[in-house]
Amino acid sequence: MNVKIVKVLARFGAFSSLLGAFMIGITITMTENWSFSLNTFSELGVMGAGAAILYNSGLLMAGALAMVLAAAFFEYTTGDIIGQAGSAVFLAFSVSVCVLGISILDLGDWVKYVSPAIYVMIPLSSALLGYFLYKNGLKIHAGVVLAAAAIGAAIWVMGGPVNALNQTIALAPFSIWQIYVGVHMSRLDEPEE
């Protein structure tokens, strides 16, 4: 593992979820008749021109930064098949967030499957990366991500990500974990040369 690369990538990627949450928050304040219990976040991308531009731009930026974090995960988990699999699923999650960001273009009916797929990738990548962290002695980090995986999976027991409230319940612990592990990776000790 190249610690310098991990540190740089983690510094930029760790806060992707904060940027996404900020942009979604601004979009919510600009969107009339939108409700956490009645609408999904994806609907913000089509409810009003100004709000839709902010929402979709926010998803593109957050997804791009999440791809940077995915690159940090790939480097951090070098040599471990489970860690690499978790990194790959996290990368697929990141790309899917970007796809939703460009959904203002007419990409056809398949786009409606991207959002539910994101909520499948959350517990899957969390579980795989959590197992990697546990194996490598980072038990608190693993506990945080495994809690995020359990909550993300629980959303499907509750009927799926059918509204923004359920989506927030799945995204919040996953986002907290991204920041937590990203900050950890950005503070790794570099080997002495």
Side-chain angles (χ1 to χ4, degrees):
M1 162 181 60
N2 186 325
V3 176
K4 288 181 182 180
I5 290 174
V6 171
K7 289 177 72 164
V8 170
L9 293 173
R11 279 188 193 121
F12 286 101
F15 299 101
S16 64
S17 57
L18 283 181
L19 175 64
F22 177 74
M23 296 300 280
I24 287 171
I26 290 174
T27 305
I28 289 170
T29 63
M30 295 178 62
T31 307
E32 294 181 25
N33 303 320
W34 187 87
S35 165
F36 268 95
S37 60
L38 299 175
N39 300 103
T40 63
F41 286 129
S42 297
E43 292 175 60
L44 289 169
V46 294
M47 298 176 84
I53 290 169
L54 277 174
Y55 174 78
N56 290 305
S57 299
L59 286 182
L60 281 169
M61 289 184 283
L65 284 176
M67 283 189 244
V68 172
L69 186 58
F73 287 145
F74 273 113
E75 184 64 28
Y76 188 65
T77 63
T78 297
D80 184 279
I81 191 79
I82 300 294
Q84 292 285 290
S87 301
V89 177
F90 189 86
L91 178 61
F93 159 81
S94 306
V95 170
S96 297
V97 170
C98 286
V99 167
L100 283 181
I102 60 171
S103 65
I104 53 171
L105 306 172
D106 185 13
L107 299 175
D109 288 339
W110 68 272
V111 173
K112 66 183 173 187
Y113 300 109
V114 173
S115 182
I118 286 173
Y119 294 96
V120 170
M121 289 181 245
I122 288 173
L124 183 57
S125 67
S126 298
L128 293 168
L129 288 167
Y131 180 72
F132 167 81
L133 293 170
Y134 182 80
K135 276 190 345 183
N136 287 283
L138 297 168
K139 293 181 179 165
I140 294 174
H141 297 75
V144 173
V145 73
L146 292 174
I151 293 167
I155 290 305
W156 291 102
V157 174
M158 295 169 46
V162 294
N163 60 33
L165 184 59
N166 286 7
Q167 291 173 325
T168 302
I169 291 169
L171 285 169
F174 186 63
S175 298
I176 290 167
W177 171 75
Q178 285 178 50
I179 295 166
Y180 185 59
V181 78
V183 168
H184 165 76
M185 290 190 305
S186 71
R187 294 180 177 165
L188 290 173
D189 292 329
E190 293 184 29
E192 293 182 20
E193 296 181 22

